[in-house]
Amino acid sequence: MTRAQINGTMLNYRLDGPAGGETVMLSNSLAANLDMWKFQVPPLTDAGYRVLRYDGRGHGQSASSPGPYSMEMLARDAVGLIDFLGLEKVHFCGISLGGMVGQMLGAYHGNRLSSLILCATASYLPFPEIWDERIEATRRGGMAALVDATLDRWFTQDGRRRLQREIDEIRTAILNTSVDGYCGCGWAIRGMDFREAIRNISARTLIIVGEQDQGTPVSEAEFIGERIVSSVVRVIPGAAHLVNVEQADRFNAAVLEFLDQPS
């Protein structure tokens, strides 16, 4: 484990690939950790990119500070890690919660981005009472209270049959997520509204969504795409929310095609 003191907390991170390559920074979803990107690291490093993965605040091996958190806080964590490593710019790729952090970076810290990849994410989620219920359920019953429903949202039925080993690993990651970290980030999501701010994103942007994603559906990806001028939306068939796991080859091909295009 490699750790850094950032923005009043400790973040766990990992670097892979050639030191001289352009950096692709990967940001995990809620209730996951940097291992969720295991299918992306080999193709990216083989293509010459340096891959920076990190556990978001309150997740994986990163410290879990008391909540609630905010998107501003989580974005400052990402910028702080970029600064800590002496990087001028990164290609930032975030999924779900990580994609929300990416929107914040694009809107307010665009000078640190070479490009932006937003995966299975939303600019705004209505019905804040859903997050009140999830936070309360987690406080009462721990992560076990949410794990089955979460996996049902994250994968299609076919994916659950086909990827049993990977889903078992993700189940373990969910169960090992800090309750404080989950709830803190849940509050950040609950209060998020980037519907207007994303109009300020000027970085070249790829938006990826699973065709069967119910939590952050295709319509939300299209909404984000309409507001970011330099963006393209890619819909991946045969995938729900964790599109980078369920359809890793298609996801990787879309990301590499995008990264390889001239800025």
Side-chain angles (χ1 to χ4, degrees):
M1 292 183 292
T2 311
R3 298 180 174 183
Q5 291 294 324
I6 303 291
N7 192 27
T9 192
M10 183 279 296
L11 296 181
N12 178 55
Y13 70 93
R14 178 169 176 174
L15 282 165
D16 296 279
E22 295 181 16
T23 301
V24 179
M25 186 174 185
L26 304 175
S27 184
N28 58 273
S29 71
L30 183 67
N33 58 49
L34 58 76
D35 289 330
M36 74 172 298
W37 299 106
K38 69 176 186 178
F39 292 124
Q40 282 65 63
V41 175
L44 286 167
T45 56
D46 288 348
Y49 292 98
R50 195 178 197 199
V51 177
L52 168 60
R53 293 177 284 168
Y54 73 106
D55 290 327
R57 180 183 289 251
H59 287 67
Q61 299 300 315
S62 289
S64 180
S65 59
Y69 307 162
S70 67
M71 286 298 166
E72 291 84 356
M73 174 188 289
L74 300 178
R76 288 197 304 271
D77 289 349
V79 172
L81 184 56
I82 293 169
D83 287 341
F84 176 83
L85 294 170
L87 302 172
E88 182 180 354
K89 291 187 175 186
V90 299
H91 301 278
F92 189 91
C93 175
I95 187 165
S96 195
L97 171 61
M100 297 167 190
V101 174
Q103 291 173 68
M104 188 80 189
L105 293 178
Y108 299 104
H109 303 277
N111 62 318
R112 310 308 301 273
L113 302 181
S114 298
S115 70
L116 180 60
I117 304 174
L118 305 174
C119 314
T121 195
S123 60
Y124 171 76
L125 293 175
F127 311 117
E129 61 272 15
I130 291 175
W131 287 100
D132 294 336
E133 292 168 2
R134 290 179 185 174
I135 290 167
E136 178 61 25
T138 307
R139 290 294 185 197
R140 289 198 314 267
M143 296 304 298
L146 298 178
V147 63
D148 289 331
T150 298
L151 290 171
D152 285 345
R153 290 193 303 272
W154 282 5
F155 293 94
T156 66
Q157 289 185 0
D158 176 70
R160 289 197 293 273
R161 288 191 298 266
R162 182 169 50 86
L163 299 167
Q164 293 183 15
R165 177 179 175 181
E166 287 75 17
I167 290 175
D168 285 345
E169 292 174 352
I170 292 168
R171 175 185 292 275
T172 298
I174 295 171
L175 292 172
N176 288 340
T177 299
S178 157
V179 168
D180 283 342
Y182 179 90
C183 294
C185 288
W187 276 104
I189 295 171
R190 184 188 185 282
M192 171 198 67
D193 187 349
F194 293 141
R195 287 175 291 182
E196 292 304 317
I198 56 176
R199 295 183 187 274
N200 297 324
I201 296 177
S202 59
R204 192 169 61 91
T205 302
L206 172 64
I207 303 160
I208 300 179
V209 61
E211 187 177 38
Q212 298 181 53
D213 190 340
Q214 297 181 13
T216 54
V218 172
S219 59
E220 181 58 36
E222 292 172 341
F223 178 90
I224 295 171
E226 289 170 359
R227 280 165 163 69
I228 301 176
V229 174
S230 301
S231 68
V232 61
V233 177
R234 290 289 302 273
V235 180
I236 305 296
H241 194 56
L242 284 201
V243 57
N244 69 306
V245 176
E246 188 161 9
Q247 292 294 339
D249 289 345
R250 290 171 174 169
F251 180 92
N252 295 341
V255 167
L256 286 170
E257 179 185 6
F258 173 76
L259 291 174
D260 289 345
Q261 294 171 2
S263 299

